[in-house]
Amino acid sequence: MSVFMVERDLKGISMDDLAGAQSAAIQTASDMQAQGESISYIRSTFAPEDGRCMCLFDGESADQVKRLNDTAGLPYTKVVAALDLTP
């Protein structure tokens, strides 16, 4: 699996809606895993000042990560391969 970063523009989103979006990503990844797919949600970073949100997923391809977000009904501007540099 590889890491993919999903870029989102969530300017004006409420904290409740942000939590709901995160829950939808986690649940959809879990549903896809139950169907035999190798994909998981890692974490998100949100900048409330300008509404930028970056979410990391472990997955097999950018298309698979896009499908997860489409299924969950989550908006995104871009999905790219990324390196998770957590120490």
Side-chain angles (χ1 to χ4, degrees):
M1 290 203 314
S2 298
V3 175
F4 294 91
M5 182 173 64
V6 176
E7 298 179 17
R8 307 182 198 285
D9 178 5
L10 301 178
K11 192 166 189 162
I13 193 169
S14 71
M15 289 299 108
D16 286 341
D17 287 343
L18 184 62
Q22 182 182 39
S23 293
I26 293 167
Q27 183 59 54
T28 304
S30 179
D31 293 345
M32 291 172 74
Q33 287 173 358
Q35 295 171 5
E37 295 196 52
S38 295
I39 191 164
S40 61
Y41 170 85
I42 300 172
R43 73 175 158 278
S44 296
T45 301
F46 178 65
E49 183 174 310
D50 66 4
R52 282 184 298 153
C53 186
M54 305 295 183
C55 302
L56 295 179
F57 294 85
D58 262 329
E60 297 172 346
S61 69
D63 286 339
Q64 181 194 42
V65 173
K66 287 177 184 178
R67 188 164 36 86
L68 181 151
N69 284 273
D70 291 340
T71 300
L74 301 173
Y76 57 90
T77 55
K78 190 187 297 186
V79 176
V80 296
L83 299 175
D84 185 6
L85 304 176
T86 302

